[in-house]
């Protein structure tokens, strides 16, 4: 009975404060009070009758998840643990040991590659090493995300890792024990290389706190190698930080032009984001690659470059995630991610698609200037080859993870830039006189 009374007290106090602190919303609280009572009654019934005892807090959390999920596809209640992980993700750095890992179907945790200059790399961790223990606990007794979390932690702390290594020549296995001191890890989100015809290629995996910094470094490297044209690949880029996407656009668009604007129910959510007077890379010929996996921040960049005719877009219609979520911190350090506005391109095109419509795949998103159909699974393999390198401390090499895969979208981009250079060399006036 005491538990049930506590639940009633919690909800009645919440309703009271919502009414007194937010008078304009009081009528909404008042009309919803009957539903709140029903919710409390249901919780009481569960606690009294369910076959197993349930904690009131767990039931409330479950209700919060359900409430947020009714809003739209992108609003959600965020647990305390997920809020912490989200802060690390969006910041673009975390305390870790520097191993890119893969979980096999057998539940094994395999090292894909140590990151260059990371604690793992310096300790001699090699690709294909199997992580079998973390701080003495067998990985076989842990879920993959739990094992990854165990490797991460506060910068400066240490973690003991036991690895199993197989000799490729003899087939024999050996055990390697290392103690790794966690350091600040900045994941690689920008990959670059030179293509034929003095064309630079940059793949951006997401828009984190270090994306633009990494992008400018890649641009400098490519320029030093004689780059004359550029391909930026945003395929499978899910977005990230709004500021990061806007700042990326500012590198190519100048003259204080509009990059994107947001519009919501409240006036405070109408915001315009404009470029600087001058763009650092205003003149380089440019092609942007997008596909169904390009979302949010990727679509902001794509929409701005397309509307201002700064780049030619090649690929397939983007995902159509053009809504703005605001994360509200709650007293217990959990959070609520809620949609407050939608994104619009400089020419007023709404990026967000209607996910509930029958023709949802034909609404919203950014449609490329040149559509090149390419099966997403094959496209992922192609971009995977392009971006992922294997680092071996013993061999001191960085090699592609797999054999080269066909990529018709990238090939079309290269052809277009080559054709542009050839056409630019034609002297139309002289040709006319010759006739």
């Amino acid at each position: 009975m005491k538990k049930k009374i506590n639940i009633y007290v919690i909800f009645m106090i919440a309703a009271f404060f919502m009414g007194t602190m937010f008078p304009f919303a009081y009528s909404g609280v008042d009309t919803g009070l009957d539903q709140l009572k029903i919710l409390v009654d249901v919780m009481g019934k569960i606690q009294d009758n369910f076959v197993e005892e349930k904690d009131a807090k767990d039931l409330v959390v479950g209700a919060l998840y359900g409430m947020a999920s009714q809003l739209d596809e992108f609003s959600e209640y965020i647990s305390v643990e997920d809020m912490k992980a989200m802060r690390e993700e969006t910041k673009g750095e975390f305390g870790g040991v520097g191993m890119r890992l893969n979980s096999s179907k057998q539940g094994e945790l395999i090292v894909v590659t140590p990151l260059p200059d990371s604690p793992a790399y310096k300790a001699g961790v090699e690709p294909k090493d199997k992580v079998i223990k973390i701080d003495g606990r067998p990985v076989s007794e842990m879920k993959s995300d739990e094992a990854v979390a165990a490797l991460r932690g506060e910068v400066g702390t240490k973690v003991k890792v036991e690895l199993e290594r197989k000799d490729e020549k003899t087939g024999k296995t050996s055990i390697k024990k290392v103690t790794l001191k966690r350091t600040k890890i900045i994941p690689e989100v920008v990959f670059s290389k030179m293509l034929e015809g003095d064309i630079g290629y940059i793949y951006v995996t997401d828009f984190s706190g270090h994306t633009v910094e990494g992008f400018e470094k890649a641009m400098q490297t490519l320029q030093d190698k004689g780059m004359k044209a550029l391909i930026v690949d945003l395929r499978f880029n899910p977005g990230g930080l709004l500021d990061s996407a806007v700042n990326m656009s500012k590198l190519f668009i100048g003259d204080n032009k509009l990059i994107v604007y947001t519009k919501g129910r409240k006036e405070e959510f109408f915001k315009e984001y404009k470029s600087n007077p001058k763009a650092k890379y205003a003149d380089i010929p440019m092609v942007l690659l997008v596909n169904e996996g390009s979302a949010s921040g990727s679509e902001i960049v794509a929409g701005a470059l397309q509307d201002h005719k700064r780049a030619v877009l090649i690929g397939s219609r983007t995902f159509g995630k053009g809504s703005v979520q605001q994360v509200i911190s709650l007293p217990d350090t959990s959070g609520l991610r809620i949609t407050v506005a939608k994104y619009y391109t400089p020419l007023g095109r709404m990026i967000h698609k209607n996910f509930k419509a029958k023709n949802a795949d034909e609404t919203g998103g950014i449609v490329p200037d040149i559509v090149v159909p390419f099966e997403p699974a094959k496209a992922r393999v192609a971009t995977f080859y392009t971006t992922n390198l294997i680092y071996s401390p013993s061999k001191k090499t960085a090699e592609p993870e797999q054999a080269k895969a066909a990529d018709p979208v990238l090939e079309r981009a290269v052809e277009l830039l080559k054709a542009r250079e050839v056409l630019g060399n034609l002297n139309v006036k002289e040709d006319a006189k010759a006739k």
Side-chain angles (χ1 to χ4, degrees), residues 108-146:
E108 299 173 329
L109 204 61
I110 310 297
V111 177
V112 176
T113 181
L115 300 180
D117 299 322
S118 67
Y121 186 92
K122 293 175 181 177
V125 175
E126 290 281 345
K128 299 183 181 179
D129 281 353
K130 184 192 300 181
V131 181
I132 55 177
K133 286 184 180 181
I134 301 174
D135 280 334
R137 185 180 173 190
V139 171
S140 58
E141 298 176 2
M142 308 164 71
K143 293 180 180 178
S144 59
D145 56 349
E146 186 182 0

Side-chain angles (χ1 to χ4, degrees), residues 357-373:
K358 291 182 179 179
N359 62 334
D361 291 339
E362 299 175 9
T363 65
I366 303 295
V367 179
D369 302 300
I370 301 174
V371 176
V372 180

Side-chain angles (χ1 to χ4, degrees), residues 15 23 83 87 106 112 116 149 158 185 219 221 236 247 249 290 292-293 311 353 414:
M83 276 286 282
R87 290 190 189 100
Q106 293 73 34
V112 176
K158 295 180 179 180
I185 300 296
M219 284 292 291
T221 299
F236 301 108
N247 290 333
S249 303
V290 293
E292 301 90 336
K353 74 177 179 182
V414 171

Side-chain angles (χ1 to χ4, degrees), residues 208-370:
S208 69
H210 293 278
T211 298
V212 175
E213 174 190 344
F215 189 89
E216 291 194 78
K217 287 181 180 178
M219 284 292 291
Q220 186 60 57
T221 299
L222 293 173
Q223 286 178 326
D224 291 343
K225 293 181 179 179
M227 174 179 63
K228 294 179 180 177
L230 174 66
I231 296 172
V232 176
D233 195 341
L234 297 183
R235 289 177 294 176
F236 301 108
N237 182 321
L241 297 176
L242 172 61
D243 286 346
S244 182
V246 170
N247 290 333
M248 172 80 79
S249 303
K250 288 180 180 179
L251 295 175
F252 301 99
I253 300 171
D255 300 324
N256 300 306
K257 292 179 180 177
L258 184 62
I259 291 173
V260 68
Y261 68 92
T262 63
K263 186 167 62 175
R265 284 174 60 199
K266 292 185 177 181
E267 188 177 345
E268 64 188 275
F269 296 127
F270 179 82
K271 295 181 179 179
E272 292 184 337
Y273 298 84
K274 295 185 177 181
S275 67
N276 296 322
K278 292 185 178 181
K280 191 171 183 178
Y281 311 113
D283 301 320
I284 188 167
M286 181 180 177
V287 171
L288 191 73
L289 309 185
V290 293
N291 72 348
E292 301 90 336
S294 307
S296 191
S298 296
E299 295 174 291
I300 289 173
V301 175
L305 294 178
Q306 188 180 55
D307 279 5
H308 291 301
K309 302 187 184 301
R310 177 61 189 86
V312 175
L313 270 59
I314 297 180
S316 49
R317 185 193 290 265
T318 60
F319 183 73
K321 197 280 182 184
S323 56
V324 184
Q325 280 71 48
Q326 184 180 61
V327 177
I328 303 169
S329 296
L330 301 176
D332 65 344
T333 70
S334 63
L336 176 65
R337 180 186 281 115
I338 185 170
T339 300
V340 296
K342 291 181 179 178
Y343 291 119
Y344 295 81
T345 71
L347 294 181
R349 293 182 292 163
M350 186 172 73
I351 295 172
H352 202 66
K353 74 177 179 182
N354 182 0
F355 287 87
K356 295 181 180 179
K358 291 182 179 179
N359 62 334
D361 291 339
E362 299 175 9
T363 65
I366 303 295
V367 179
D369 302 300
I370 301 174

